[in-house]
Amino acid sequence: MNPFEESKIPRLDQLSYSNIQTATLAMGCFWSPEAFFGAIKGVIRNRVGFAGGTTPAPTYRNLADHIETVQVEFDPEQVTYAQLLEKFFAKHTPTQEPRKRQYTSAIFYHSPEQQQAAQDAIKAAEERFKAKVLTQLIPYETFHLAEERHQKWKLRRHTEVLRELQKIYPGFEAFNNSTAVARVNGYVGGYGEQDIFMEEISSLGLSAPVQNIMLALFMAQGTLGFPFSHGLSPSKGTNAL
């Protein structure tokens, strides 16, 4: 079977976009934030990696001065950068010092417009938290992709679902860049809105039995109500690591 035969590609991955923008954000341990953003309608693809440091070629075991980061590509006609920043501040507590630099809360802006939006979002967050926000605002320079085993971490915990998607995308790059894969990674982690999940489940390229597994996982965990813990890692609850 040709894995890229058009009839085998998930419908969600056959969509085209006239304007794709990028957001690069850090809000603690990157596994759950990747899943969280992947479940948002309008997010096209995402990946985890390292940014904000000076050491060349960082790895998960040797981050040096880098920060665990999620990079999100999105369609601004469906979800705006400002809306992504609202979700960013809603799901972690950026008013507490991280226990390590790698868990720092940070926004890496790609343009003056993103810089202004981030400044506005920080001001709004400080008003809501009634405390100083410690999120670092950093001009984007370089994003180092994390090792394959860290990409789509939530999905990799569910082998039946994972294997079916890997049959469609046996190569790592195509797998990691798939909208359907990003969405499934979010949904199996219990993230996302139920109505959107039900709308999209048939467009993810999964067989009926695996769709049923997805449905059971999503409904058992519920939609996310637990914020990530002060820029370190998810709070204990349905989506704790």
Side-chain angles (χ1 to χ4, degrees), residues 143-156:
F143 178 82
H144 301 271
L145 194 68
E147 298 90 329
E148 181 175 348
R149 68 182 183 275
H150 295 292
Q151 308 293 334
K152 311 301 182 287
W153 179 269
K154 295 290 185 178
L155 173 56
R156 292 182 188 277

Side-chain angles (χ1 to χ4, degrees), residues 178-232:
S178 161
T179 304
V181 170
R183 205 73 90 240
V184 171
N185 183 56
Y187 290 149
V188 297
Y191 297 87
E193 299 177 21
Q194 184 173 334
D195 57 342
I196 296 175
F197 169 72
M198 298 304 295
E199 173 190 321
E200 290 188 337
I201 190 169
S202 64
S203 66
L204 301 173
L206 302 171
S207 66
V210 173
Q211 287 184 36
N212 287 333
I213 292 172
M214 284 267 300
L215 180 61
L217 287 169
F218 184 83
M219 298 305 291
Q221 298 182 83
T223 54
L224 231 207
F226 294 87
F228 307 147
S229 177
H230 66 283
L232 300 184

Side-chain angles (χ1 to χ4, degrees), residues 3 115 141 167-168 199:
Q115 181 182 18
E141 293 185 1
K167 288 178 183 178
I168 303 171
E199 173 190 321

Side-chain angles (χ1 to χ4, degrees), residues 60-189:
Y60 188 75
R61 297 300 179 190
N62 186 24
L63 264 68
D65 57 349
H66 286 275
I67 300 168
E68 291 191 33
T69 304
V70 179
Q71 192 163 78
V72 178
E73 293 184 11
F74 63 98
D75 175 11
E77 294 184 4
Q78 297 186 68
V79 60
T80 66
Y81 185 68
Q83 288 171 330
L84 290 177
L85 292 180
E86 286 179 9
K87 296 177 185 297
F88 169 84
F89 281 114
K91 290 302 178 186
H92 76 301
T93 308
T95 57
Q96 300 177 24
E97 291 282 355
R99 60 186 175 86
K100 291 183 179 180
R101 175 168 170 76
Q102 75 184 77
Y103 302 126
T104 297
S105 173
I107 299 170
F108 299 90
Y109 59 88
H110 290 251
S111 66
E113 292 76 17
Q114 285 196 356
Q115 181 182 18
Q116 183 60 57
Q119 290 171 341
D120 293 343
I122 289 172
K123 181 178 179 181
E126 288 183 332
E127 291 175 356
R128 181 166 64 86
F129 286 114
K130 300 189 184 306
K132 181 175 177 57
V133 163
L134 302 180
T135 299
Q136 294 186 16
L137 189 53
I138 305 171
Y140 176 80
E141 293 185 1
T142 305
F143 178 82
H144 301 271
L145 194 68
E147 298 90 329
E148 181 175 348
R149 68 182 183 275
H150 295 292
Q151 308 293 334
K152 311 301 182 287
W153 179 269
K154 295 290 185 178
L155 173 56
R156 292 182 188 277
R157 313 275 73 75
H158 302 283
T159 55
E160 288 181 86
V161 185
L162 173 66
R163 287 170 183 166
E164 190 150 296
L165 288 167
Q166 286 179 328
K167 288 178 183 178
I168 303 171
Y169 297 117
F172 167 65
E173 184 174 1
F175 175 87
N176 209 39
N177 287 333
S178 161
T179 304
V181 170
R183 205 73 90 240
V184 171
N185 183 56
Y187 290 149
V188 297

Side-chain angles (χ1 to χ4, degrees), residues 29 31-33 154 191 226-229 232-237 239-241:
C29 179
W31 296 321
S32 284
K154 295 290 185 178
Y191 297 87
F226 294 87
F228 307 147
S229 177
L232 300 184
S233 59
S235 302
K236 292 182 179 179
N239 289 284
L241 293 175

